[in-house]
Amino acid sequence: MKFQLTSQLDYEVKFPSTIIFSVCAADTHSQIIVSENLSISPDVKFDEMTSDFSGSRFIRVETGKAQTLTLKYEAVVEQQIELIPVEKIKSTQIGKLAGDIVPYLFPSRYCQSDRLGRFAVDYFGKHETQYEIVVAIASWIYENIEYLPGTTDSATSAFDSVTQRTGVCRDFAHLGIALCRAMSIPARYFTGYAHELNPPDFHACFEAYLGGRWLIFDPTRLSHLNGLVRIATGRDAADTAVASVFGRINCTSMSVNCVPAEDGYQPFSHEQLEQQAVCLEPASKKIKDN
Amino acid sequence: MKFQLTSQLDYEVKFPSTIIFSVCAADTHSQIIVSENLSISPDVKFDEMTSDFSGSRFIRVETGKAQTLTLKYEAVVEQQIELIPVEKIKSTQIGKLAGDIVPYLFPSRYCQSDRLGRFAVDYFGKHETQYEIVVAIASWIYENIEYLPGTTDSATSAFDSVTQRTGVCRDFAHLGIALCRAMSIPARYFTGYAHELNPPDFHACFEAYLGGRWLIFDPTRLSHLNGLVRIATGRDAADTAVASVFGRINCTSMSVNCVPAEDGYQPFSHEQLEQQAVCLEPASKKIKDN
Amino acid sequence: MKFQLTSQLDYEVKFPSTIIFSVCAADTHSQIIVSENLSISPDVKFDEMTSDFSGSRFIRVETGKAQTLTLKYEAVVEQQIELIPVEKIKSTQIGKLAGDIVPYLFPSRYCQSDRLGRFAVDYFGKHETQYEIVVAIASWIYENIEYLPGTTDSATSAFDSVTQRTGVCRDFAHLGIALCRAMSIPARYFTGYAHELNPPDFHACFEAYLGGRWLIFDPTRLSHLNGLVRIATGRDAADTAVASVFGRINCTSMSVNCVPAEDGYQPFSHEQLEQQAVCLEPASKKIKDN
Amino acid sequence: MKFQLTSQLDYEVKFPSTIIFSVCAADTHSQIIVSENLSISPDVKFDEMTSDFSGSRFIRVETGKAQTLTLKYEAVVEQQIELIPVEKIKSTQIGKLAGDIVPYLFPSRYCQSDRLGRFAVDYFGKHETQYEIVVAIASWIYENIEYLPGTTDSATSAFDSVTQRTGVCRDFAHLGIALCRAMSIPARYFTGYAHELNPPDFHACFEAYLGGRWLIFDPTRLSHLNGLVRIATGRDAADTAVASVFGRINCTSMSVNCVPAEDGYQPFSHEQLEQQAVCLEPASKKIKDN
């Protein structure tokens, strides 16, 4: 499926600053950039770099003496997802994880899985398969945490949310990741564009590593799992901030949009998760192979 | 310089468990394994894997029904370090960092640099070069945090230590990392063997990325910076635990040793840092080139 | 019922210190001191004082140059409790609370009821009467928190325990208090002697204010509610430490005992709470009136 | 000195609620209410109560079905303060504190003095007298914490502020209290009206107990110490919230004012603290005695 993405971020620059933006669609074997345009005005210095260990693309901007800054991004991406029948999803044995997956078992800034072990086992230990555990975690979050903008901030972590029980997509994702890791299931943070997200904004979900693949889950249920376009992947929001600022700037406005760029889009419903999981990085189906 | 390492870890196994050990010396271009022997008794299943993004070697053990477990490691490693005159150390511009260094600017489980910004600028903002900042951070920690085993635990983080002001090498390293990152200097956690560490144990230090190189600092001043052998590198202790246990085992005893395996070892003193920094991964001097 | 109490605390004094001890049985209208002996050796200066707002008796000791310190306390107390049929327990309206009860609605050092509001309503909001809520809170803690000495420390609070789910009597009591206050029910911390506590130690429970009376609950279920002798009452453990030390001393040993001093003691079982609540401060039945 | 106070609070009531307001001037031997008028509209049920252990006056309102609520308070109070020459301020010996002062040595919800001990001794341990310590604490806060509305919230505590170094009057007061208690000096929270506060609002300061008297300090330096009218006293903000809501209401607007009601007011400057301390509750000078 092809999606058309646009985003625009406007800033007031208080002080010459370096900003690392994470707004470009990731360029992977299963998500290819059909066309793309990034413009920054005024005409300041910027470059692109890619993190080796997350594949995320960073746009690094030096504001210099600019007093305002507008970043505008437009792209069409083509995405190949895989729907995997639940009965084919194997559990992951820690004893067989590849070395670059292991770190996603460990706690991170906002996902203190080391402190959630008993809670996780109490609530999710009864499920038989790892897939059932992850589905139960995502459902539990959906049912028990209220989506309530303004109740959390950039210091809020999974350990807070599990008790305070309010938050936004970022907090929902952190809690999902922390609970998966506490159950010895590798999990990572996903940021991206989401079709029909209301209100329009960047979105955060989480991916769990099951049977050799990263499967996507959205405990807010605000997106469709086949309507997501990946920007970045990380251990948590600390790795994937839309804008990491080294200096002093204020965001004055933001707009984000994501729509299908071809016909035939059928939204995947959260109920379908009982039959099928969604993988945004299908190992076997490269787009170029099609 | 060559070092001879030995370590032995004894466990009581309560329950069939998977354990991921980080005890083997890292195998890098500047630290080569001359000889090595790892034995685990009883004779259980284990394999080795390497994390792509930290280069750390993990030994993964499945205890099966074993009731006790003894891991014994012996190695001789040859290490090539570089002493860098202070005047040659350039500051690192965020605008020029490679993509795989950028994540070491971000906060992690035990290093909440996002909450230490004002503190760091108040205390260390007056220094002119990044090297001076890092030396000042390491000295401040040495002077203000008391090395006091038993006062902290595995949940203690840099945000706690900056006020509570006691801890062990792990806490000292976390605080060093968090303060560097809060000053926009990439920093990472180092675990390893340390010559003449008293009492003998595994050791933790931190590395800061300056002028395109990782430089090592030990805010406890319990080791000599040229008497360290790297085991693992990570964003903090969450990535580099000596033993990450998935199951239930108790450590019953541990012994660790590290001695020079050739003549001519001259300990590097912490005072020397005013003239020279120590790099354990000199890009230019590969051992095989010698 | 009469109880015989003994306790002995031994300290090593590192430095001339002031210590405030809370070990003497409280002297109230419903708990009278039949006989009492407090001895401190060596023969250092001490005096007794009473907190106006908690009624707790403090023994204040100046160690001077003493290098060891032994406090020995023996007492016989007579206690009048009241068993209140559940159907007679009215709910408490905030609109009718006396001014000196109101502060027990507010959060305190270890009982962050302000952060537990949603959790409390989710779990306990469905009960009809306040008594049912408090019984449900005590049962939930008993069923979901594991009594596990060594897993918590003096910085552990209710906000930690609600997720970490282990602790000792102090942690159980803090969680009970915090959840009651989060449900707008005044609650306070109780420390005392407990008959048949195993292992013998000082004990902590909590009291909830219902229908104009403080009712006692023990979420550990390690004591019998009619086998408790009050030492002190406070907002949480911060107010009622067995020993608050201003200086530097180490406790080297402690022994505590509490046995009935007359015949006819029938332990009150936790199952009885479905029919009857226990009040250790019955307003209507003063011992002197009997 | 006489002051004229006015305050008005407007609320939107979402749900029938009980609210406990702390807006009335305290009625003490040294601060008498010359005239006072409290009106609440619409005409709902309310009563007044006084906390025995803080002397604070609470107005308790039952909103019933009211959909908006306006509380309006006007008063003239006469206040007798005492300026105490620094050389006459004795230090307080814990060994001589009255029982009702002792609890102000203990940690509370927002003042975790138990975790600030080393920090406090490192920074303030060098001063000779307790008065010098408290003045140094208030000055350190003024110099190191930036007054920055919007950076903290109702969960922010002294342990956060000591590192994060921003906040409002509430945070400044909490940090002052926590540091005093960590130095074994009793300290409490003061809320009140402040002359010339800009922007106009209720204000928070702290009082330290020295030489048998409570002395007032304002680490924000936004008020004059002789231009304060006490509303309430507590262990921290948890005890003295302007409005403690049991239910659901939103504050829609607030106005606060405090002006001298007679001639001759000479603001006390913070520099004067080197010569004189300010006591708002002079034991010896009762207004009625004048």
Side-chain angles (χ1 to χ4, degrees):
Chain A
M1 176 62 51
K2 284 183 189 155
F3 290 93
Q4 168 138 18
L5 319 172
T6 55
S7 58
Q8 181 172 331
L9 298 161
D10 299 302
Y11 290 91
E12 182 186 13
V13 182
K14 300 280 189 177
F15 206 82
S17 300
T18 299
I19 311 142
I20 298 178
F21 287 105
S22 254
V23 295
C24 299
D27 186 6
T28 71
H29 70 270
S30 59
Q31 177 178 290
I32 61 169
I33 312 294
V34 176
S35 67
E36 188 179 57
N37 187 53
L38 176 78
S39 65
I40 296 176
S41 67
D43 189 20
V44 296
K45 226 175 85 182
F46 72 91
D47 65 342
E48 181 180 329
M49 60 185 172
T50 304
S51 164
D52 280 1
F53 66 76
S54 71
S56 308
R57 293 162 68 201
F58 297 118
I59 302 300
R60 184 164 42 194
V61 176
E62 303 283 352
T63 64
K65 294 178 183 170
Q67 302 200 330
T68 62
L69 189 80
T70 294
L71 177 148
K72 201 166 173 177
Y73 177 71
E74 293 177 311
V76 173
V77 303
E78 181 172 359
Q79 201 188 55
Q80 188 70 29
I81 71 168
E82 187 175 359
L83 299 184
I84 302 167
V86 165
E87 62 275 14
K88 291 205 174 165
I89 302 169
K90 294 188 183 130
S91 285
T92 292
Q93 285 179 272
I94 290 168
K96 293 193 174 150
L97 283 180
D100 56 354
I101 303 296
V102 168
Y104 293 105
L105 285 169
F106 299 145
S108 59
R109 172 68 181 90
Y110 300 108
C111 304
Q112 306 96 327
S113 44
D114 53 307
R115 301 184 71 190
L116 290 166
R118 280 174 175 269
F119 182 93
V121 170
D122 282 0
Y123 281 70
F124 308 109
K126 63 179 182 293
H127 295 286
E128 284 195 12
T129 69
Q130 288 183 345
Y131 182 73
E132 284 167 16
I133 289 172
V134 182
V135 170
I137 286 171
S139 295
W140 184 88
I141 295 171
Y142 173 71
E143 282 155 17
N144 290 281
I145 312 294
E146 188 174 350
Y147 190 90
L148 216 52
T151 57
T152 53
D153 61 26
S154 65
T156 305
S157 68
F159 191 77
D160 300 317
S161 302
V162 74
T163 298
Q164 300 190 177
R165 306 204 164 185
T166 63
V168 294
C169 60
R170 164 193 171 105
D171 306 299
F172 282 59
H174 284 156
L175 188 48
I177 293 165
L179 291 170
C180 286
R181 294 182 190 162
M183 294 300 291
S184 300
I185 299 170
R188 68 184 188 185
Y189 193 80
F190 167 101
T191 57
Y193 293 83
H195 174 46
E196 290 192 333
L197 193 65
N198 184 6
D201 200 345
F202 293 105
H203 196 43
C205 298
F206 75 91
E207 293 180 302
Y209 192 77
L210 294 178
R213 276 178 288 220
W214 288 104
L215 304 180
I216 184 98
F217 297 88
D218 180 0
T220 68
R221 297 197 187 171
L222 292 174
S223 70
H224 303 296
L225 295 177
N226 63 346
L228 293 165
V229 174
R230 181 188 310 270
I231 294 173
T233 302
R235 291 168 75 167
D236 61 27
D239 289 350
T240 58
V242 167
S244 299
V245 176
F246 303 89
R248 211 162 138 221
I249 66 172
N250 289 343
C251 187
T252 52
S253 78
M254 188 193 312
S255 68
V256 180
N257 195 30
C258 170
V259 290
E262 59 185 328
D263 292 341
Y265 175 70
Q266 297 285 348
F268 183 91
S269 78
H270 284 271
E271 288 68 34
Q272 281 177 264
L273 282 175
E274 289 178 26
Q275 277 82 47
Q276 292 174 308
V278 179
C279 177
L280 299 184
E281 285 188 348
S284 52
K285 295 192 186 175
K286 301 201 178 184
I287 287 176
K288 35 198 151 190
D289 297 350
N290 290 348
Chain B
M1 176 63 52
K2 284 185 188 151
F3 291 94
Q4 169 137 20
L5 319 172
T6 55
S7 59
Q8 182 172 331
L9 298 161
D10 300 301
Y11 290 91
E12 183 186 13
V13 181
K14 300 280 190 178
F15 206 81
S17 299
T18 300
I19 312 141
I20 298 178
F21 287 106
S22 253
V23 297
C24 300
D27 187 6
T28 70
H29 70 269
S30 58
Q31 177 177 291
I32 63 170
I33 313 294
V34 176
S35 67
E36 187 179 56
N37 188 53
L38 175 78
S39 65
I40 296 176
S41 67
D43 188 20
V44 296
K45 226 176 85 181
F46 72 91
D47 66 341
E48 181 180 329
M49 60 185 171
T50 304
S51 165
D52 280 1
F53 64 74
S54 70
S56 309
R57 293 162 67 202
F58 297 117
I59 302 300
R60 183 164 44 195
V61 177
E62 303 282 351
T63 64
K65 294 178 181 170
Q67 301 199 328
T68 61
L69 189 80
T70 294
L71 177 148
K72 201 167 175 176
Y73 177 70
E74 293 178 311
V76 173
V77 303
E78 181 172 0
Q79 202 187 56
Q80 188 70 29
I81 70 169
E82 187 177 358
L83 300 184
I84 302 167
V86 164
E87 62 274 15
K88 292 205 174 164
I89 302 169
K90 293 186 183 133
S91 286
T92 292
Q93 284 179 273
I94 291 169
K96 293 194 175 150
L97 283 179
D100 56 352
I101 302 296
V102 168
Y104 293 105
L105 284 170
F106 299 146
S108 59
R109 172 67 181 92
Y110 299 109
C111 304
Q112 305 97 325
S113 45
D114 53 307
R115 300 184 72 190
L116 290 166
R118 280 175 174 269
F119 182 93
V121 170
D122 282 0
Y123 281 71
F124 308 110
K126 64 179 180 291
H127 295 285
E128 284 195 14
T129 70
Q130 288 184 346
Y131 182 74
E132 283 167 15
I133 289 172
V134 182
V135 170
I137 287 171
S139 295
W140 184 88
I141 295 171
Y142 172 72
E143 282 156 17
N144 289 281
I145 312 294
E146 189 175 350
Y147 190 90
L148 216 53
T151 56
T152 53
D153 62 26
S154 65
T156 305
S157 67
F159 191 76
D160 300 318
S161 303
V162 73
T163 299
Q164 300 189 179
R165 308 208 162 182
T166 63
V168 294
C169 59
R170 165 194 171 103
D171 306 300
F172 282 60
H174 283 157
L175 189 47
I177 293 165
L179 291 171
C180 285
R181 292 182 191 163
M183 294 300 292
S184 300
I185 299 170
R188 67 185 189 185
Y189 194 80
F190 167 101
T191 57
Y193 292 84
H195 175 45
E196 289 192 333
L197 193 64
N198 184 7
D201 200 343
F202 294 105
H203 195 45
C205 299
F206 76 91
E207 293 180 301
Y209 193 78
L210 293 178
R213 278 179 287 221
W214 288 105
L215 304 180
I216 185 97
F217 296 88
D218 181 0
T220 69
R221 298 195 187 174
L222 292 174
S223 70
H224 302 296
L225 295 177
N226 63 345
L228 293 164
V229 174
R230 181 188 311 270
I231 294 172
T233 303
R235 291 170 72 166
D236 60 28
D239 288 350
T240 58
V242 168
S244 298
V245 176
F246 303 88
R248 209 162 139 220
I249 65 173
N250 288 343
C251 187
T252 52
S253 77
M254 187 194 311
S255 68
V256 180
N257 196 29
C258 171
V259 291
E262 58 184 331
D263 292 342
Y265 175 71
Q266 296 286 349
F268 183 91
S269 77
H270 284 271
E271 287 70 34
Q272 281 177 263
L273 282 175
E274 289 179 26
Q275 276 82 48
Q276 292 174 308
V278 179
C279 176
L280 299 185
E281 285 188 346
S284 51
K285 295 192 186 176
K286 301 200 178 184
I287 287 175
K288 35 197 149 189
D289 299 347
N290 291 347
Chain C
M1 176 62 51
K2 285 184 188 154
F3 290 93
Q4 168 137 20
L5 319 172
T6 55
S7 58
Q8 182 172 331
L9 297 161
D10 300 302
Y11 289 91
E12 182 187 13
V13 181
K14 300 280 190 177
F15 207 82
S17 300
T18 300
I19 312 142
I20 298 178
F21 287 105
S22 253
V23 296
C24 301
D27 186 6
T28 70
H29 70 269
S30 59
Q31 177 178 289
I32 61 169
I33 313 294
V34 177
S35 67
E36 188 179 55
N37 188 52
L38 175 78
S39 65
I40 296 176
S41 68
D43 189 20
V44 296
K45 225 175 85 181
F46 72 91
D47 65 342
E48 182 180 330
M49 60 184 170
T50 305
S51 164
D52 279 2
F53 65 73
S54 70
S56 309
R57 293 162 68 202
F58 297 117
I59 302 300
R60 185 164 41 193
V61 177
E62 304 280 352
T63 64
K65 294 179 182 170
Q67 301 200 328
T68 61
L69 189 80
T70 294
L71 177 148
K72 202 167 175 177
Y73 177 70
E74 293 178 312
V76 173
V77 303
E78 181 173 1
Q79 200 187 57
Q80 188 71 28
I81 71 168
E82 186 176 0
L83 299 184
I84 303 167
V86 165
E87 63 273 15
K88 292 207 175 163
I89 302 169
K90 293 187 184 132
S91 286
T92 292
Q93 285 178 272
I94 290 168
K96 293 194 175 149
L97 284 179
D100 57 353
I101 303 296
V102 168
Y104 293 105
L105 285 170
F106 298 146
S108 59
R109 171 66 181 93
Y110 299 109
C111 304
Q112 305 96 327
S113 44
D114 53 308
R115 300 185 71 189
L116 291 165
R118 281 176 173 268
F119 181 93
V121 170
D122 282 359
Y123 280 70
F124 307 110
K126 63 179 180 293
H127 295 285
E128 283 194 14
T129 69
Q130 288 184 345
Y131 182 73
E132 284 167 15
I133 289 172
V134 181
V135 170
I137 286 171
S139 295
W140 184 88
I141 295 171
Y142 173 70
E143 282 156 17
N144 290 281
I145 312 294
E146 189 174 349
Y147 190 90
L148 215 52
T151 56
T152 52
D153 62 26
S154 65
T156 305
S157 68
F159 191 77
D160 300 318
S161 302
V162 74
T163 298
Q164 299 189 177
R165 307 206 162 183
T166 63
V168 295
C169 59
R170 163 194 172 104
D171 306 300
F172 282 59
H174 284 156
L175 189 47
I177 293 166
L179 291 170
C180 286
R181 292 181 191 164
M183 294 299 293
S184 300
I185 299 170
R188 67 185 189 184
Y189 194 82
F190 168 100
T191 58
Y193 292 85
H195 174 45
E196 290 192 331
L197 193 65
N198 184 9
D201 199 344
F202 294 105
H203 196 43
C205 298
F206 76 91
E207 292 179 302
Y209 193 77
L210 293 178
R213 278 179 285 223
W214 288 105
L215 304 180
I216 184 98
F217 297 88
D218 180 0
T220 69
R221 297 197 187 172
L222 293 173
S223 70
H224 302 295
L225 295 177
N226 63 345
L228 293 164
V229 174
R230 182 189 310 271
I231 293 172
T233 302
R235 292 169 74 166
D236 61 27
D239 288 350
T240 58
V242 167
S244 298
V245 176
F246 302 89
R248 209 160 139 221
I249 66 172
N250 289 342
C251 186
T252 52
S253 78
M254 187 194 313
S255 68
V256 180
N257 196 31
C258 170
V259 291
E262 58 185 329
D263 292 341
Y265 175 70
Q266 296 286 348
F268 183 91
S269 77
H270 284 272
E271 287 69 34
Q272 280 177 264
L273 281 175
E274 289 179 26
Q275 277 81 48
Q276 292 174 309
V278 180
C279 177
L280 300 185
E281 285 188 346
S284 51
K285 295 192 185 177
K286 301 200 178 185
I287 287 175
K288 35 197 151 189
D289 298 348
N290 289 348
Chain D
M1 176 63 51
K2 283 185 190 154
F3 291 93
Q4 168 137 17
L5 318 173
T6 55
S7 58
Q8 181 172 329
L9 297 161
D10 300 301
Y11 289 91
E12 181 186 14
V13 181
K14 300 279 191 180
F15 206 80
S17 300
T18 300
I19 312 142
I20 298 178
F21 287 105
S22 254
V23 296
C24 299
D27 187 6
T28 70
H29 70 271
S30 60
Q31 177 178 289
I32 60 169
I33 312 293
V34 176
S35 67
E36 188 179 54
N37 187 53
L38 176 78
S39 65
I40 296 176
S41 67
D43 188 21
V44 297
K45 227 177 82 181
F46 71 91
D47 65 342
E48 181 180 330
M49 59 186 172
T50 304
S51 165
D52 279 2
F53 63 74
S54 71
S56 309
R57 295 162 67 202
F58 297 118
I59 302 300
R60 184 165 41 195
V61 177
E62 303 282 352
T63 64
K65 294 178 182 170
Q67 301 200 328
T68 60
L69 189 80
T70 294
L71 178 148
K72 202 166 174 178
Y73 178 71
E74 294 178 311
V76 173
V77 303
E78 181 172 1
Q79 201 187 54
Q80 187 70 28
I81 69 169
E82 186 176 0
L83 299 183
I84 303 166
V86 165
E87 62 274 15
K88 292 205 173 163
I89 302 169
K90 293 187 183 131
S91 286
T92 292
Q93 283 179 274
I94 290 168
K96 293 193 174 149
L97 283 180
D100 57 354
I101 302 296
V102 168
Y104 293 105
L105 283 170
F106 298 146
S108 60
R109 172 68 181 91
Y110 300 109
C111 304
Q112 305 97 327
S113 44
D114 53 307
R115 300 184 72 190
L116 290 166
R118 280 176 174 267
F119 182 93
V121 170
D122 282 0
Y123 280 71
F124 308 110
K126 62 179 182 292
H127 295 285
E128 284 195 12
T129 70
Q130 289 183 345
Y131 182 73
E132 283 167 16
I133 289 172
V134 181
V135 169
I137 286 171
S139 295
W140 185 88
I141 295 171
Y142 173 71
E143 283 156 16
N144 289 280
I145 312 295
E146 188 174 351
Y147 190 90
L148 215 52
T151 57
T152 53
D153 61 26
S154 66
T156 304
S157 68
F159 191 77
D160 299 318
S161 303
V162 74
T163 299
Q164 299 190 179
R165 308 206 161 182
T166 63
V168 294
C169 59
R170 164 194 171 105
D171 306 299
F172 281 61
H174 283 157
L175 189 47
I177 293 165
L179 291 171
C180 286
R181 293 182 191 161
M183 294 300 293
S184 300
I185 299 170
R188 68 185 189 185
Y189 193 81
F190 168 100
T191 58
Y193 293 84
H195 174 46
E196 290 192 333
L197 193 65
N198 184 7
D201 199 345
F202 294 106
H203 196 44
C205 299
F206 75 91
E207 293 181 301
Y209 193 77
L210 293 177
R213 277 179 285 221
W214 289 105
L215 304 180
I216 184 97
F217 296 89
D218 180 0
T220 69
R221 298 197 186 171
L222 293 174
S223 71
H224 302 295
L225 296 176
N226 64 344
L228 294 164
V229 173
R230 181 187 312 269
I231 293 172
T233 303
R235 291 170 73 167
D236 61 28
D239 288 351
T240 57
V242 168
S244 299
V245 177
F246 303 88
R248 210 162 139 221
I249 65 171
N250 288 343
C251 187
T252 52
S253 77
M254 187 193 313
S255 68
V256 180
N257 196 30
C258 171
V259 290
E262 59 185 329
D263 293 341
Y265 174 69
Q266 296 285 348
F268 183 90
S269 77
H270 284 271
E271 287 68 34
Q272 281 178 263
L273 282 175
E274 287 178 28
Q275 276 82 49
Q276 292 173 309
V278 179
C279 176
L280 300 185
E281 285 188 347
S284 51
K285 295 193 186 175
K286 300 202 179 185
I287 288 175
K288 35 198 150 191
D289 298 348
N290 290 349

